[in-house]
Amino acid sequence: GAGVSQSPSNKVTEKGKDVELRCDPISGHTALYWYRQSLGQGLEFLIYFQGNSAPDKSGLPSDRFSAERTGGSVSTLTIQRTQQEDSAVYLCASSLASGTIYEQYFGPGTRLTVT
Amino acid sequence: DAKTTQPPSMDCAEGRAANLPCNHSTISGNEYVYWYRQIHSQGPQYIIHGLKNNETNEMASLIITEDRKSSTLILPHATLRDTAVYYCIARLKGQNFVFGPGTRLSVLP
């Protein structure tokens, strides 16, 4: 079946602009995660959604970052007033549920470059 | 999450077994050990996970010591396509995954 998809695959934006990154999880997966990965670094957790529960936003680095998940499916990560340090690959993952041992399935990521 | 430590890099000859160690000395009784890998320019890929018993699937084997303070991921016959960064994660049910720097495995021809 279809895996996790993300769009766009690449995004170049000017400093100060807002960007939206999209994630389509695997159908039926109730948990959705956002991570970012700077060049040569490990993955940094940003936020996760589980069903209709309030999202865990503990990993968001600043209030310029926000995310929504509409209808329990598609999610959008928004970065306002982008800065050069926001340049990274943004990865989305989904799993059957977060409250279990189920593994996460990752999308290909969106490479964001802030100039 | 229990902190895990892994060697930053390892080499393995093609066709030989790759044994990737992971220390998780502070792991709690309910934390599972997960392994993921990330091939260059791709998202992480799930490999295997376990709690107490050794596990095997089509990709790899996971050997967990009796005291659960360490584990080893075994790729029985490494190929060039297994070159990747391998992440060992200890995680409670419901917790977020915390990815450290991992081990960069280079499979050499």
Side-chain angles (χ1 to χ4, degrees), chain A residues 33 35 37 40-45 48 56 58 91 97-108 111, chain B residues 32 34 36 38 40-46 49 87 91-102 104:
Chain A
Y33 306 76
Y35 298 83
Q37 187 171 33
Q41 302 297 310
L43 275 73
E44 175 188 2
F45 164 75
Y48 95 85
D56 177 351
S58 60
L91 289 157
S98 68
T100 69
I101 63 170
Y102 291 110
E103 62 269 23
Q104 297 182 2
Y105 294 86
F106 284 80
R111 182 175 298 278
Chain B
Y32 288 77
Y34 288 79
Y36 280 75
Q38 188 172 24
H40 182 62
S41 299
Q42 298 183 20
Q45 175 191 24
Y46 166 82
H49 73 275
Y87 298 99
R91 168 186 180 257
L92 285 169
K93 291 195 303 183
Q95 280 189 334
N96 303 315
F97 283 84
V98 177
F99 288 78
R104 183 172 299 278

Side-chain angles (χ1 to χ4, degrees), chain B residues 62-75:
Chain B
L62 174 60
I63 308 299
I64 302 174
T65 58
E66 190 170 348
D67 63 7
R68 303 207 330 118
K69 292 185 183 300
S70 66
S71 61
T72 302
L73 178 75
I74 301 173
L75 307 179

